Amino acid sequence: MAATFHFLLMLLAGTQAFLMVVDEGIFHRRRGLGKFERWGHVADTALFCLTLCVPAFWQPTRMAIISFIVLGFASCLLITKDEWVHAKACEPIEHWCHAMLFILHGALLIVVGMLWILEPQAWELRALPLGVFAWGIYQHFYWNIYNGRRSHQ
C-alpha cells in the first residue's frame, strides 16, 4: 500500500514541479508580476513549505495531524488569493495551468498525509520541503530582489 503512495507522490510532485516551471518560466516572465503577486507567490510557497515540514519533522500524532490539516487547508486557500489579478492579467492557457496547479496542490497534500500515516520515515517526506524551500528562495531573489532592482532602474 505504501508503495502506491510513494509512486503517487513522485508523480504528483513531478507534475506540479513541471507546471510551476512552465508557469514561472513562460507565463510570469512574459507578462511580469506586480508587487502583490511577487510577494504573494513567496507567501504561498512559504506556507506550503511550512505545511510539508510537519510530516518531515514530526511523527503522525493527533496534534501533528491536526496541525498538518489546518496548515494544508490554509495553504490551499492562500494560493487562490491572486485570482482577481489573474482574471485580468492572464491568457486562458495560464488560467488552465493555474487550475491544474490548484488541483495538484491539494492532491499532493492528501498523498503526503497518507504516506506520512503509513510510513512516517519515508525519505520523500524530508526531501519535499527542501525542494519547496529552494523554490521559494529562488522566487524571492528573482522577483523581489533581482527583478525588483531592475524595474527601479
Side-chain angles (χ1 to χ4, degrees), residues 90-151:
C90 300
E91 298 174 22
I93 189 71
E94 187 176 356
H95 287 296
W96 176 83
C97 184
H98 293 160
M100 293 302 295
L101 286 166
F102 293 159
I103 292 166
L104 289 166
H105 189 89
L108 185 58
L109 287 171
I110 290 168
V111 171
V112 164
M114 295 302 295
L115 182 59
W116 182 36
I117 299 296
L118 293 171
E119 194 176 323
Q121 301 306 317
W123 68 269
E124 298 94 334
L125 298 176
R126 282 152 192 77
L128 201 52
L130 292 173
V132 172
F133 181 75
W135 181 255
I137 295 295
Y138 154 76
Q139 286 177 312
H140 174 64
F141 278 96
Y142 182 80
W143 288 106
N144 296 311
I145 296 175
Y146 171 73
N147 198 282
R149 192 176 319 145
R150 276 190 8 191
S151 64

Side-chain angles (χ1 to χ4, degrees), residues 47-65:
L47 185 54
F48 188 51
C49 187
L50 180 63
T51 304
L52 294 172
C53 282
V54 174
F57 295 108
W58 287 283
Q59 291 299 309
T61 62
R62 183 177 185 343
M63 198 63 213
I65 291 169

